[in-house]
Amino acid sequence: MTMFKSTGAASTNRLIVVCEANSDVGFGHFFRCLHLVDALRTIYGISSFWVGNFDASLSELLSDRGYFKVDAVDIDGAIAQTLSLSARAVLCDTYKMTEEHTKKLHQQFKVCVIDDFGNTSQSSVDTIINFTVAANRYKYTAKQQLLGPRYFLCNNALDRVRKIHLSQAEKAREISNVLIAIGGHDRLSIGPHIADILSLNKQYDVTLLGAYSSLTNIKRYQHIIRTQDMASLYEKANLVVSGGGLIKYESAYCGIPNIVVAQTPEQYAETLAFQNANLCYAVGSAATAVRSISLANEVEEKDRSAFNWSSQELIETADKALKQRKHLVQASCTHFEDNATARTAAAIFDEHYAQE
């Protein structure tokens, strides 16, 4: 077991992050933790250790940022490693966390948990962060409850992008820049199919983000394997197509119309709440349904996975999203607040670090 024990003032100004980011769970948990940790370090000087199972590219990113990382194969190993460290608080973002785990952590740390679906109601959690639009419907017992999109966690570079897009609500464009970003792991490989469909329309300038091993009709659109500068992509985009995770929140925060192609039943249910708040447009029905894509014979049909939406539905939704952008901008101003990540960092610091 790796030991990083330390005592004194250093450990009282430290945070331990327990999460995971790999092909099984995607990268959303990692990045929302990263945005919060970056804000805590920049604004308040809080240092951090990261504990968990991380994709190699994200381990490299942590190293580049100057963060220490401890590898753990599973959640039990992560808890054991965390208990070997010294810090004031621990930030947990994983669906595998149980009440037994949080009780163990609470004996040694202040426990902060990022949750999505109301799965964390344990009394041993000191702070709960749930920035989803449905957060208030859950019965949490944590002392500090940071609920709703006003506590959204994003890269602070998006604060500038938000100001730009919100100030251009009425601006019309002949060519719409479409960003297809399904997420850190496109488990159904739907990104290229969506790019094929939308790139048939000459009014769309399409960019596909993601590591895809084989692509068709690549000359029709730009393909970016990975980037550490999402803010630049959002600044250029007039429409985003995402997979139902963190990207739909980032798009709405920036005032960019967003189409969601949810890949799990849980994502779809949460996306409906997001859509009801006028913050996105969902395509398809429950993620367990099956309906195969038709490209109207303009692209050669090949054997492919079945999806629960059609090309016609996607095209019609894209057109609707662009025409009704004003509604999205109004909803973004209603549900989100400027500098959301700094707001959340301030609440964490005031509750767990400023008070002795």
Side-chain angles (χ1 to χ4, degrees):
M1 180 178 294
T2 305
M3 303 292 287
F4 288 100
K5 281 281 188 182
S6 64
T7 59
S11 64
T12 64
N13 207 36
R14 181 181 298 149
L15 175 71
I16 301 170
V17 182
V18 178
C19 75
E20 54 189 342
N22 48 55
S23 60
D24 293 330
V25 301
F27 295 171
H29 298 278
F30 174 90
F31 278 106
R32 60 192 188 185
C33 288
L34 181 65
H35 301 324
L36 179 56
V37 167
D38 281 347
L40 285 168
R41 181 171 69 173
T42 300
I43 303 171
Y44 304 105
I46 303 298
S47 62
S48 66
F49 284 110
W50 288 68
V51 182
N53 183 334
F54 305 108
D55 180 85
S57 64
L58 300 184
S59 293
E60 183 178 350
L61 176 58
L62 289 177
S63 178
D64 291 342
R65 297 279 182 102
Y67 291 122
F68 293 100
K69 177 181 68 70
V70 180
D71 293 316
V73 175
D74 54 28
I75 186 61
D76 290 326
I79 298 301
Q81 291 280 22
T82 299
L83 293 172
S84 75
L85 305 174
S86 296
R88 171 65 63 83
V90 58
L91 175 67
C92 306
D93 191 353
T94 170
Y95 296 142
K96 298 176 183 178
M97 187 74 64
T98 66
E99 185 171 2
E100 181 181 356
H101 293 137
T102 56
K103 283 183 176 179
K104 287 182 179 180
L105 293 174
H106 198 254
Q107 294 175 359
Q108 188 168 326
F109 311 102
K110 295 291 185 180
V111 179
C112 307
V113 171
I114 301 178
D115 183 53
D116 294 314
F117 305 117
N119 295 327
T120 304
S121 59
Q122 302 96 332
S123 58
S124 52
V125 175
D126 298 287
T127 294
I128 188 77
I129 304 170
N130 184 333
F131 56 72
T132 70
V133 294
N136 287 303
R137 73 176 60 170
Y138 303 121
K139 296 181 179 179
Y140 295 112
T141 58
K143 177 183 177 182
Q144 179 173 237
Q145 300 182 20
L146 309 179
L147 306 180
R150 68 192 300 260
Y151 295 104
F152 175 55
L153 299 174
C154 66
N155 188 324
N156 61 7
L158 296 193
D159 295 334
R160 176 183 59 83
V161 179
R162 171 177 166 83
K163 291 179 181 178
I164 292 173
H165 279 289
L166 294 186
S167 68
Q168 299 177 349
E170 305 295 335
K171 186 175 181 179
R173 298 173 175 84
E174 293 183 3
I175 302 296
S176 294
N177 295 314
V178 181
L179 172 63
I180 302 171
I182 304 303
H185 178 60
D186 182 356
R187 67 192 71 187
L188 300 179
S189 295
I190 61 176
H193 303 307
I194 295 173
D196 284 343
I197 295 169
L198 294 182
S199 62
L200 293 173
N201 190 327
K202 295 182 179 180
Q203 293 183 339
Y204 296 145
D205 185 358
V206 176
T207 297
L208 172 65
L209 176 64
Y212 298 99
S213 57
S214 60
L215 297 174
T216 60
N217 304 308
I218 188 61
K219 293 182 180 180
R220 285 184 173 154
Y221 55 83
Q222 180 183 12
H223 176 223
I224 301 174
I225 296 177
R226 63 178 57 88
T227 182
Q228 294 187 20
D229 187 14
M230 283 296 295
S232 293
L233 296 180
Y234 285 132
E235 184 174 349
K236 178 183 177 182
N238 311 124
L239 177 69
V240 174
V241 182
S242 73
L246 188 63
I247 290 174
K248 75 172 182 286
Y249 275 84
E250 292 178 341
S251 302
Y253 182 74
C254 291
I256 308 170
N258 178 28
I259 298 174
V260 179
V261 186
Q263 299 194 73
T264 69
E266 293 81 9
Q267 281 185 347
Y268 180 73
E270 201 275 326
T271 295
L272 289 183
F274 210 60
Q275 178 176 253
N276 289 338
N278 293 322
L279 291 168
C280 76
Y281 295 88
V283 297
S285 54
T288 54
V290 173
R291 184 162 72 240
S292 58
I293 285 181
S294 170
L295 300 186
N297 298 321
E298 294 188 63
V299 176
E300 181 182 358
E301 286 288 343
K302 298 180 179 180
D303 293 335
R304 61 185 69 194
S305 301
F307 305 106
N308 63 337
W309 45 270
S310 68
S311 60
Q312 187 64 29
E313 181 183 4
L314 179 69
I315 293 169
E316 291 176 354
T317 305
D319 183 59
K320 180 180 179 181
L322 288 167
K323 288 181 178 179
Q324 299 184 359
R325 178 171 180 263
K326 183 188 298 185
H327 298 310
L328 179 279
V329 170
Q330 292 172 343
S332 181
C333 293
T334 298
H335 293 282
F336 294 94
E337 295 186 16
D338 295 341
N339 305 312
T341 305
R343 176 190 304 280
T344 308
I348 296 295
F349 179 81
D350 290 345
E351 182 66 28
H352 300 308
Y353 291 92
Q355 301 177 9
E356 293 295 337

